[in-house]
Amino acid sequence: MLALLIYVLFSGTIVFTFKYFGLLRIPTFQALAVNYLTCTVVGWLMSGSPSLALLQTGGAWLVAAVVLGALFIATFYLVALTTQRVSVSAAAVATKMSLVLPVAFNLVVLRQAQRPYTALNYVGIALAVVAIILTVWKPAPATAGSRGAQVARTDTWVLPVLAFLASGSGDTLLNYASSRLLPTPEHQALFPILLFGTAAVVGLVVLAGRLLANVETIQWRSIPAGVVLGILNFFSVYFLIRALGAFGNDGAFVYPLANIGTILLGALGGYVLFRERLGRTGQLGLLTALVALLLLSYQEVLAAAGA
């Protein structure tokens, strides 16, 4: 349980860091590239410089690490844009309610569960999708011909939905790799390093292309910002993997409990740090998200209450 709590702390802090990047006008993609380079170095040091001999054997675990690396940097960029252009709460809910994807995959494909799933659990999955829609809904200003219709602006929908899909896909693949593709401690030590290394390579290549095309110029303050983000990012993934392992890789159990805390922390931090206020629809979305998460994990809540 301690690993879950630490994951929540790091995960929530990452969202706040992206918000500060926007406020301080730190180039987000430059910081992301440095972030994954930092993750690779920290992972290498934390793992005690593991042997690279396993790379010669190849296999599905190596493919999963490479795919996850590319997916991770894309997800991080989408979360950063959502935080800066929509809100902290929208980013937190869109990414954390993406748990419906790994939960569904865990139940249907992996079939790894610490308890049977009931109709209430499946209602929770459906409510999770509703919560995302409500949280990112922003009515357009009324005009003479609109009759005050509540129409969601397209730009506030696209980013949270893409963040939802990318984050859910990444968590699903990570859950699968953790349960099926990492049979030895050596695999488990090398996997996150390769994941972060791939993300770093992708980030640096894309950044080099943007610099050569004069799309942007290097801003040196993005380096310390990326180092801070990299440390937070590494330990968030590290403790997520530890939490999954501690609970038998039951993603349907781990993700809901972790995300309850992250959504609450995101909403509280958004209000305290940035004075972000949710409208009535957003508040309803946040409440729906909490109800969904409780329905997904109510067995554990009742068991804890009766312990």
Side-chain angles (χ1 to χ4, degrees):
M1 187 61 70
L2 180 60
L4 268 175
L5 295 176
I6 298 176
Y7 165 75
V8 167
L9 179 62
F10 280 111
S11 182
T13 305
I14 285 172
V15 178
F16 303 149
T17 302
F18 282 140
K19 186 68 174 182
Y20 279 117
F21 282 4
L23 295 175
L24 299 175
R25 298 183 179 180
I26 294 173
T28 300
F29 198 84
Q30 292 182 28
L32 284 181
V34 175
N35 142 75
Y36 280 112
L37 191 59
T38 302
C39 285
T40 306
V41 174
V42 173
W44 182 265
L45 295 176
M46 285 284 294
S47 302
S49 304
S51 171
L52 301 179
L54 283 176
L55 295 179
Q56 300 177 0
T57 64
W61 74 278
L62 184 58
V63 175
V66 172
V67 172
L68 264 175
L71 188 58
F72 266 35
I73 190 169
T75 302
F76 246 42
Y77 192 54
L78 288 169
V79 172
L81 292 179
T82 302
T83 301
Q84 294 163 9
R85 297 183 184 181
V86 185
S87 71
V88 169
S89 296
V93 172
T95 55
K96 298 311 166 188
M97 295 310 295
S98 65
L99 68 89
V100 298
L101 299 182
V103 165
F105 186 80
N106 189 87
L107 293 175
V108 176
V109 179
L110 297 181
R111 298 181 183 277
Q112 294 182 164
Q114 299 195 47
R115 37 74 163 168
Y117 283 81
T118 67
L120 288 179
N121 296 138
Y122 292 106
V123 171
I125 294 177
L127 284 180
V129 178
V130 176
I132 296 168
I133 296 173
L134 291 174
T135 305
V136 303
W137 181 277
K138 287 190 176 182
T143 61
S146 69
R147 298 181 183 178
Q150 302 285 297
V151 180
R153 287 175 13 212
T154 302
D155 58 342
T156 64
W157 278 83
V158 173
L159 288 174
V161 169
L162 289 178
F164 167 82
L165 293 174
S167 179
S169 299
D171 286 341
T172 300
L173 183 54
L174 182 62
N175 194 179
Y176 178 77
S178 178
S179 62
R180 300 288 177 86
L181 304 180
L182 307 177
T184 68
E186 290 75 18
H187 285 88
Q188 295 167 10
L190 197 55
F191 184 79
I193 298 174
L194 291 177
L195 186 160
F196 291 131
T198 300
V201 170
V202 171
L204 292 173
V205 168
V206 173
L207 179 58
R210 292 170 64 87
L211 294 174
L212 291 173
N214 294 319
V215 175
E216 61 181 298
T217 57
I218 285 290
Q219 295 191 27
W220 298 108
R221 58 181 177 165
S222 64
I223 295 178
V227 170
V228 171
L229 180 62
I231 294 173
L232 295 172
N233 189 17
F234 172 81
F235 283 106
S236 70
V237 175
Y238 174 80
F239 282 106
L240 177 59
I241 294 175
R242 288 284 299 272
L244 284 169
F247 291 102
N249 292 301
D250 184 359
F253 170 76
V254 171
Y255 287 114
L257 292 183
N259 293 344
I260 286 175
T262 304
I263 288 176
L264 285 173
L265 183 60
L268 178 62
Y271 176 75
V272 173
L273 297 175
F274 310 111
R275 292 297 185 265
E276 290 186 354
R277 295 180 179 272
L278 291 174
R280 291 183 179 179
T281 306
Q283 293 173 11
L284 179 59
L286 185 60
L287 179 60
T288 305
L290 292 176
V291 172
L293 289 167
L294 288 173
L295 288 177
L296 282 167
S297 57
Y298 77 92
Q299 293 101 320
E300 286 72 29
V301 173
L302 292 177

